[in-house]
Amino acid sequence: MSERSMTVELYHPPLEEQDAYDEMSSAEGACRPHWAALMEAMDELGPEELGQRWARAERRIRENGITYNIYGDPQGVNRPWKIDMIPLLLPAGEWQSIEAGIVQRAQLLSQIVADMYGRQTLLASGNLPAELLFANPAFLRSLVGVPVPTQSYLHMIGVDLARSPDGQWWVLSDRTQAPSGSGYALENRTIVSNVMPDLFRDSNVMRLAPFFRAQREALLSLAGTHSPRIVLLTPGPHNETYFEHSYIARYLGFTLVEGADLTVRDRTVFLKTVEGLERVDVILRRVDDSFCDPLELRGDSLLGVPGLVDAIVAGNVRVANALGSGVIESAAIMPFLPGLCQLLRGESLKLPSVATWWCGQPYALEWVLQNLESLVVKPAFPSRAMEPVFGSDLSPEERERFAARLRAAPYDYVAQEQVALSRGPVWEHGSIASRSLVLRVYAVNTGNGWTVMPGGLARVASKDNSVVSMQRGGHSKDVWVLSDSPVDTFTMLRPKNKQIELRHDKPCIPSSVAHNLYWLGRYVERAEDTTRVLRTVVWRVPRAGRDELDCLLALFQTLGIEGGKLPKSRKALTLPQRFEQELLSVLTDGSRADSLPFTLGQIHQTGGKVRDRLSTDMTHLLGKLRDVLPTTPEETLMAYPPILSNCMELLSGFSGMERENIVRGQDWIFLSLGRRVERALFNTRLLRELARPFAEKDWPLLELLLEVADSSVTYRSRYFTTLQPLPVMDMLMADQSNPRSLDFQLAHIVHHYRKLPRHLPEDLQAMQHALERLRSFDMRKVSYPLPDALQTARSSSGILRLRRLLDETEELLLTWSDNLSSRYFNHARTLAINIGQ
């Protein structure tokens, strides 16, 4: 055997798992026939080549942002999706049996849920206990009797399968309200087939694209209108499967929305976009039932759409899967499925459920109590959070206490046989190991029958955990169904050999995307302003004299810090120690809304919501910004100047990417508007420090202001080293060529706002008027007392007019920003703007 060989002889499942079915090897240790080609191909490539190929695949996973959030994981939404290189193989004959069983089960579950929300004959006849329905929190009484198209009660289902030691597939659970994972199955296929393209092509693997084509056509037909608006409703970026939601929405060509993107007007659902309100015909939801409407269902939900149930009752929108379909996810229904299948379909259940007992039946409860040590107990209703309890793991005393819990509330529990899961090969550290696995298969209702995804999503347990769960560190697998006939090679992607028609159209921008981009711009600019001020102040404070300390304090207060520990009056004694404590607080206290760590956190959070609108480099940069401050705060100010310089470099990098790397569409306009508005507000605060009589002790402030505004070099080139308030004021306020001047910000706001659809003429006119007033202001009428010179009589009135102009400009910017939010983000009434009246 060669040094690079890794043949099946090196693969052996652990001794304690010898009773479990081995997917790849027979009981005698021989490779099963349908695995032979794969193992020979991997043997031929060798560990080194496979390792290099898989390293490229993992790099693609990171670069494409393929993530799965594990709650409580430090990596949060940045945790890469875990894929195993070795697919799970299913021969054609075996798959035909699975497919037939899934179709039958989907038809049966659809009939049951339709009866639950319809005539309820199963309850009236006693074939289904009423307690299973009326005690189930997932049963939505408000939707009983509401007409729903057959194909939307259950548009798509997911069925979790496990193989018993004898090779039989059993159903562990059904997912009927918002089944997840189909998008990850598609991404797994793309990645694994690229690692071994020749093998994939030669293995006659059934393709996944026809399944998604069927799903797309089913949703289009569900709308019943020409060119319908279909959206995918997601809980948002913090959901563990948000990547999948975004991926599927793009793949199917639908708009990804959150609850806040939708609004109900006159019992009709509309999508809030930059262009205005657009009617929604179909909602493909990934939000659980009870969270979908805070008015009718769960009042504390921030994920749903107020009034959605009313729109459904009115028949103005179709939701797939229908609201309330989660009622059928209860494992307590499984014991009744064989009888219901005979009753409703006149046939035996082709794909049986794992042995299940609902403790709400007295005889089942007694059997469970007598055999508890060999069972696993789960909640009867999934919405009641509870970790599975393995009877074999309980001590006699614990078993007795748990039995008392079962007797006290038997209706709340089900017990299932503890299945010895089959084990499949996984690629680990250059060799093959064995792990327990579960297979999730998907089926979609086309309206003319059910179509099953050929394959699905296999999940394997982590090394030290026999429980198969992605939340517990498990991996996923691609699933190859090996066809014995030609496969459909249809693809949803454009063929490479077909010429693409050139397009320059602008995509629809949902209001939430525009809102997040606008605030991303504001937070980035706010962080830059804060960093510039802190970097200028921090290293000077420890050795500053009284006059310079007052100037540093004046500069620091341009950040609009509220609720700090500094004296409110300039006349109060300002101790350097108190100033240093306040600076450290702004640098380290993330609970303060005016602190640098809080603002950087907001950048990362807001940027995460629009990751699909940003380049990979920008996303990586946002991650670096999140970690730029030390995890353990430094105890002295003098440790922070290099940290602040690093932060400034990252923020400058984002600014460069924003200017050079983003297409000038509506999304960029909102991002840029956010930056310009925030910088203009900061400029008004900076300039107010100049709009007051200047004493000789205030002169050092001029240098500080120029440094913060990054205008020192330009000033020196014009005026050499002679610092005076008036030219500093002119450069920071009225210089049209200075990208950090107030004039520059207002001019760009006018320019950008004019390009937005549906812009308000009065708001545009107000901003233009503010720009005209700024440019018409006569700087020559503002006179500052120079050292050793008498103050002129006109200086006071000129400074007062200047300060009033700045105050009114700031007020305008705040009102104008609120109007922008009302017009484009909230679609509410705007406020009248008056300036200089």
Side-chain angles (χ1 to χ4, degrees), residues 211-404:
F211 172 83
F212 290 99
R213 173 181 57 186
Q215 181 181 22
R216 189 174 190 278
E217 292 175 350
L219 291 168
L220 289 171
S221 66
L222 185 62
T225 61
H226 179 68
S227 300
R229 165 70 72 182
I230 302 176
V231 300
L232 192 154
L233 179 61
T234 173
H238 295 292
N239 184 262
E240 67 269 26
T241 58
Y242 178 73
F243 165 81
E244 180 197 20
H245 305 164
S246 176
Y247 182 65
I248 286 292
R250 288 197 306 270
Y251 188 70
L252 296 179
F254 302 148
T255 304
L256 183 69
V257 301
E258 298 178 40
D261 291 317
L262 304 178
T263 184
V264 175
R265 310 278 176 92
D266 298 325
R267 306 182 79 186
T268 302
V269 180
F270 292 91
L271 170 64
K272 293 185 284 187
T273 76
V274 171
E275 302 283 349
L277 297 179
E278 297 186 11
R279 178 168 178 166
V280 173
D281 301 290
V282 177
I283 299 174
L284 174 61
R285 68 181 178 95
R286 289 300 181 86
V287 176
D288 287 348
D289 288 326
S290 60
F291 290 91
C292 284
D293 186 347
L295 286 182
E296 188 71 37
L297 303 175
R298 181 166 174 164
D300 62 345
S301 171
L302 300 177
L303 306 178
V305 186
L308 178 59
V309 169
D310 193 34
I312 293 171
V313 172
N316 292 329
V317 69
R318 307 286 172 83
V319 178
N321 290 343
L323 291 190
S325 56
V327 69
I328 205 72
E329 285 189 352
S330 170
I333 293 177
M334 285 185 171
F336 303 93
L337 290 182
L340 292 176
C341 191
Q342 285 287 353
L343 175 68
L344 297 175
R345 305 193 58 78
E347 56 191 14
S348 299
L349 203 60
K350 296 178 181 178
L351 199 57
S353 307
V354 66
T356 305
W357 296 266
W358 175 50
C359 296
Q361 296 175 297
Y363 70 89
L365 173 63
E366 291 306 314
W367 195 95
V368 168
L369 293 175
Q370 294 172 15
N371 298 274
L372 189 57
E373 61 184 11
S374 62
L375 301 174
V376 55
V377 180
K378 303 176 181 178
F381 310 116
S383 59
R384 294 175 179 170
M386 168 188 159
E387 287 292 318
V389 175
F390 292 86
S392 58
D393 294 341
L394 301 178
S395 66
E397 295 78 11
E398 291 172 332
R399 199 173 298 140
E400 186 60 34
R401 287 195 297 269
F402 188 68

Side-chain angles (χ1 to χ4, degrees), residues 638-690:
M638 296 316 295
Y640 279 96
I643 296 172
L644 291 169
S645 293
N646 185 26
C647 184
M648 193 66 244
E649 290 175 5
L650 293 173
L651 290 165
S652 298
F654 185 91
S655 299
M657 292 180 187
E658 179 251 316
R659 286 192 297 270
E660 302 297 335
N661 293 5
I662 300 182
V663 175
R664 293 322 195 239
Q666 292 175 358
D667 43 3
W668 174 80
I669 290 177
F670 282 101
L671 177 63
S672 187
L673 273 175
R675 300 206 64 179
R676 298 302 173 187
V677 168
E678 188 68 28
R679 186 176 292 184
L681 287 168
F682 179 63
N683 282 1
T684 60
R685 295 195 297 269
L686 279 181
L687 292 167
R688 261 202 298 268
E689 291 301 321
L690 290 170

Side-chain angles (χ1 to χ4, degrees), residues 520-793:
L520 176 61
R522 290 199 63 171
Y523 283 128
V524 168
E525 189 62 35
R526 188 175 300 176
E528 182 174 334
D529 296 337
T530 304
T531 303
R532 287 182 179 278
V533 169
L534 292 175
R535 188 177 61 170
T536 300
V537 171
V538 161
W539 70 273
R540 288 181 169 93
V541 167
R543 57 178 182 272
R546 173 59 189 273
D547 289 347
E548 185 182 9
L549 195 63
D550 282 344
C551 292
L552 293 171
L553 174 60
L555 178 62
F556 177 70
Q557 290 178 333
T558 61
L559 295 176
I561 299 295
E562 297 180 359
K565 301 177 182 179
L566 290 173
K568 301 301 180 185
S569 171
R570 289 277 178 81
K571 297 180 180 179
L573 181 63
T574 303
L575 296 177
Q577 293 85 351
R578 296 177 64 184
F579 196 1
E580 290 186 25
Q581 290 174 1
E582 180 69 1
L583 288 169
L584 278 172
S585 177
V586 173
L587 281 163
T588 61
D589 188 354
S591 64
R592 291 182 55 163
D594 53 16
S595 71
L596 182 58
F598 178 87
T599 305
L600 293 176
Q602 292 299 109
I603 290 173
H604 186 263
Q605 178 178 334
T606 309
K609 296 178 181 179
V610 289
R611 280 182 297 170
D612 58 334
R613 304 278 172 164
L614 305 177
S615 69
T616 303
D617 289 337
M618 294 182 82
T619 303
H620 289 169
L621 192 145
L622 292 182
K624 291 181 179 179
L625 273 172
R626 178 193 58 179
D627 302 327
V628 70
L629 296 178
T631 305
T632 303
E634 301 290 346
E635 297 181 358
T636 63
L637 277 181
M638 296 316 295
Y640 279 96
I643 296 172
L644 291 169
S645 293
N646 185 26
C647 184
M648 193 66 244
E649 290 175 5
L650 293 173
L651 290 165
S652 298
F654 185 91
S655 299
M657 292 180 187
E658 179 251 316
R659 286 192 297 270
E660 302 297 335
N661 293 5
I662 300 182
V663 175
R664 293 322 195 239
Q666 292 175 358
D667 43 3
W668 174 80
I669 290 177
F670 282 101
L671 177 63
S672 187
L673 273 175
R675 300 206 64 179
R676 298 302 173 187
V677 168
E678 188 68 28
R679 186 176 292 184
L681 287 168
F682 179 63
N683 282 1
T684 60
R685 295 195 297 269
L686 279 181
L687 292 167
R688 261 202 298 268
E689 291 301 321
L690 290 170
R692 59 184 175 86
F694 250 56
E696 187 172 353
K697 65 183 181 62
D698 298 321
W699 232 251
L701 180 60
L702 299 176
E703 180 183 353
L704 300 177
L705 293 174
L706 287 173
E707 182 177 330
V708 167
D710 201 18
S711 299
S712 300
V713 173
T714 305
Y715 186 92
R716 284 197 299 269
S717 69
R718 292 182 185 176
Y719 306 106
F720 300 100
T721 58
T722 304
L723 281 173
Q724 291 185 4
L726 193 58
V728 173
M729 169 67 75
D730 179 68
M731 178 169 289
L732 300 187
M733 186 176 85
D735 189 341
Q736 298 181 29
S737 65
N738 183 2
R740 305 203 70 85
S741 73
L742 181 58
D743 183 294
F744 194 92
Q745 313 317 313
L746 298 184
H748 275 70
I749 290 172
V750 169
H751 176 74
H752 292 332
Y753 186 64
R754 185 182 286 116
K755 292 184 176 182
L756 290 180
R758 304 187 306 113
H759 68 257
L760 291 172
E762 50 269 35
D763 280 15
L764 178 60
Q765 184 178 3
M767 192 59 71
Q768 287 174 325
H769 181 45
L771 181 59
E772 291 167 1
R773 292 184 71 214
L774 181 66
R775 290 180 174 177
S776 63
F777 187 86
D778 191 352
M779 285 288 185
R780 294 170 297 181
K781 294 183 179 180
V782 179
S783 178
Y784 289 90
L786 301 178
D788 302 323
L790 296 175
Q791 181 176 359
T792 61

Side-chain angles (χ1 to χ4, degrees), residues 102-243:
I102 294 295
V103 168
Q104 183 201 54
R105 193 176 190 89
Q107 293 169 336
L108 175 63
L109 294 179
S110 187
Q111 287 180 268
I112 295 172
V113 73
D115 182 77
M116 287 177 169
Y117 286 99
R119 300 178 63 183
Q120 297 184 344
T121 56
L122 294 177
L123 273 67
S125 63
N127 288 291
L128 196 64
E131 298 90 338
L132 279 183
L133 184 64
F134 298 119
N136 191 340
F139 177 59
L140 306 183
R141 290 168 172 78
S142 57
L143 290 170
V144 173
V146 176
V148 173
T150 303
Q151 65 266 36
S152 70
Y153 256 126
L154 292 181
H155 162 71
M156 187 172 79
I157 68 168
V159 181
D160 288 333
L161 303 176
R163 199 198 294 265
S164 60
D166 63 357
Q168 169 70 45
W169 286 102
W170 297 78
V171 175
L172 294 178
S173 61
D174 300 293
R175 295 289 179 261
T176 58
Q177 60 173 327
S180 64
S182 61
Y184 287 114
L186 180 60
E187 186 64 26
N188 284 2
R189 171 61 54 83
T190 302
I191 291 173
V192 174
S193 62
N194 284 340
V195 172
M196 295 178 285
D198 295 337
L199 177 65
F200 177 79
R201 183 176 56 253
D202 297 339
S203 297
N204 211 29
V205 180
M206 295 184 67
R207 306 298 200 264
L208 303 184
F211 172 83
F212 290 99
R213 173 181 57 186
Q215 181 181 22
R216 189 174 190 278
E217 292 175 350
L219 291 168
L220 289 171
S221 66
L222 185 62
T225 61
H226 179 68
S227 300
R229 165 70 72 182
I230 302 176
V231 300
L232 192 154
L233 179 61
T234 173
H238 295 292
N239 184 262
E240 67 269 26
T241 58
Y242 178 73
F243 165 81

Side-chain angles (χ1 to χ4, degrees), residues 495-538:
K496 294 181 179 179
N497 59 354
K498 185 177 180 180
Q499 187 169 347
I500 298 176
E501 183 180 349
L502 299 180
R503 298 174 58 185
H504 296 276
D505 55 332
K506 298 177 181 178
C508 168
I509 307 294
S511 293
S512 66
V513 172
H515 176 264
N516 287 320
L517 286 167
Y518 176 73
W519 275 99
L520 176 61
R522 290 199 63 171
Y523 283 128
V524 168
E525 189 62 35
R526 188 175 300 176
E528 182 174 334
D529 296 337
T530 304
T531 303
R532 287 182 179 278
V533 169
L534 292 175
R535 188 177 61 170
T536 300
V537 171
V538 161

